Amino acid sequence: AQSVTQLGSHVSVSEGALVLLRCNYSSSVPPYLFWYVQYPNQGLQLLLKYTTGATLVKGINGFEAEFKKSETSFHLTKPSAHMSDAAEYFCAVSGPSGSARQLTFGSGTQLTVLP
Amino acid sequence: EAGVAQSPRYKIIEKRQSVAFWCNPISGHATLYWYQQILGQGPKLLIQFQNNGVVDDSQLPKDRFSAERLKGVDSTLKIQPAKLEDSAVYLCASSLNARGDETQYFGPGTRLLVL
């Protein structure tokens, strides 16, 4: 079985400040890790994903995440927050075979950007 | 490229009534998913299709929920009869195939309120 824990259901940052959204996962197989963003009344959009290879992954809109196997973490960062980054962010995990291929989501982190 | 289409966007019904949701995936995507997203939670997979066959419906409440994907393209999800706890956003997603590292593309969702 696999699971995702997102620490902090709500995070507030000032415009221009560092964004850090935390994600820890549990998986019995080598994980594939994803970050999705959801704007109000919209579906989820992929920000970035880790499958294999380089552990630092760059995504859209200036976001990046680093896969740390020893810490079972995949935290999302952005050096400078913009007002347009305000949204809900979901971390998700899947795996290479069997039932692990199913995408399992965390409960989400609502990001507020203060002017 | 057109995205995943869903209709209706909003639906309000009374408990014990029936309701149906429609999804048209991205052209050429063999795999289609239905997720339930309850307020404050991440999406939970209800059912996964590969072409017109069911791959995983282990979390579908089969006493009241049904889904089909005739001809391997668009899909419908039905609830009959609805309960209060079915109030949620129903998200449809599609991907090229069912590999665990494949990106899923989400539609805007159908917001269901059961009174």
Side-chain angles (χ1 to χ4, degrees), chain A residues 32 34 36 38 41-46 49 51 88 90 94-96 100-103 105-108, chain B residues 9-10 35 37 40-43 45 55-56 58-59 91 98-104 106-108 111:
Chain A
Y32 302 135
F34 303 77
Y36 280 87
Q38 187 175 33
N41 298 316
Q42 295 186 28
L44 281 73
Q45 178 185 5
L46 181 72
K49 67 179 179 182
T51 55
E88 187 149 26
F90 292 94
S94 68
R101 291 184 297 171
Q102 180 186 120
L103 198 57
F105 286 89
S107 56
Chain B
R9 291 295 310 275
Y10 305 92
Y35 289 87
Q37 186 179 18
Q41 299 181 19
L45 181 69
V55 173
D56 184 350
S58 58
Q59 299 187 87
L91 294 166
R99 285 172 43 152
D101 59 350
E102 195 65 47
T103 296
Q104 294 184 25
F106 286 79
R111 189 174 299 271

Side-chain angles (χ1 to χ4, degrees), chain B:
Chain B
E1 171 180 270
V4 176
Q6 290 188 249
S7 67
R9 291 295 310 275
Y10 305 92
K11 191 75 177 178
I12 300 175
I13 62 173
E14 295 189 348
K15 60 183 179 183
R16 290 188 291 273
Q17 286 187 324
S18 63
V19 65
F21 313 128
W22 175 82
C23 171
N24 189 259
I26 293 173
S27 178
H29 282 193
T31 311
L32 184 147
Y33 313 80
W34 283 102
Y35 289 87
Q36 180 191 59
Q37 186 179 18
I38 293 173
L39 187 64
Q41 299 181 19
K44 182 186 81 171
L45 181 69
L46 291 175
I47 189 168
Q48 176 183 342
F49 292 93
Q50 181 71 15
N51 297 309
N52 61 350
V54 175
V55 173
D56 184 350
D57 63 356
S58 58
Q59 299 187 87
L60 186 74
K62 298 180 187 63
D63 58 333
R64 297 185 300 107
F65 286 65
S66 64
E68 60 182 12
R69 190 185 184 196
L70 300 176
K71 301 181 182 179
V73 181
D74 55 353
S75 175
T76 56
L77 176 70
K78 297 179 182 178
I79 308 175
Q80 183 179 11
K83 292 185 175 181
L84 296 177
E85 58 261 37
D86 298 332
S87 294
V89 176
Y90 291 85
L91 294 166
C92 179
S94 69
S95 61
L96 278 172
N97 55 56
R99 285 172 43 152
D101 59 350
E102 195 65 47
T103 296
Q104 294 184 25
Y105 297 85
F106 286 79
T110 296
R111 189 174 299 271
L112 173 67
L113 179 59
V114 182
L115 301 175

Side-chain angles (χ1 to χ4, degrees), chain A:
Chain A
Q2 53 200 20
S3 64
V4 172
T5 301
Q6 292 185 240
L7 297 175
S9 58
H10 291 84
V11 171
S12 294
V13 300
S14 297
E15 192 174 18
L18 172 72
V19 175
L20 171 60
L21 304 182
R22 298 180 187 275
C23 171
N24 289 88
Y25 70 91
S26 172
S27 178
S28 58
V29 297
Y32 302 135
L33 295 158
F34 303 77
W35 276 100
Y36 280 87
V37 60
Q38 187 175 33
Y39 298 101
N41 298 316
Q42 295 186 28
L44 281 73
Q45 178 185 5
L46 181 72
L47 277 178
L48 50 82
K49 67 179 179 182
Y50 167 80
T51 55
T52 58
T55 56
L56 181 62
V57 180
K58 296 185 184 299
I60 61 171
N61 301 338
F63 285 94
E64 63 181 37
E66 186 171 11
F67 168 56
K68 292 187 176 180
K69 184 178 179 180
S70 61
E71 298 178 8
T72 61
S73 69
F74 192 57
H75 302 329
L76 182 70
T77 61
K78 182 175 180 178
S80 176
H82 295 165
M83 297 297 290
S84 59
D85 294 328
E88 187 149 26
Y89 292 79
F90 292 94
C91 182
V93 63
S94 68
S97 61
S99 62
R101 291 184 297 171
Q102 180 186 120
L103 198 57
T104 300
F105 286 89
S107 56
T109 297
Q110 182 69 45
L111 176 66
T112 300
V113 182
L114 305 170

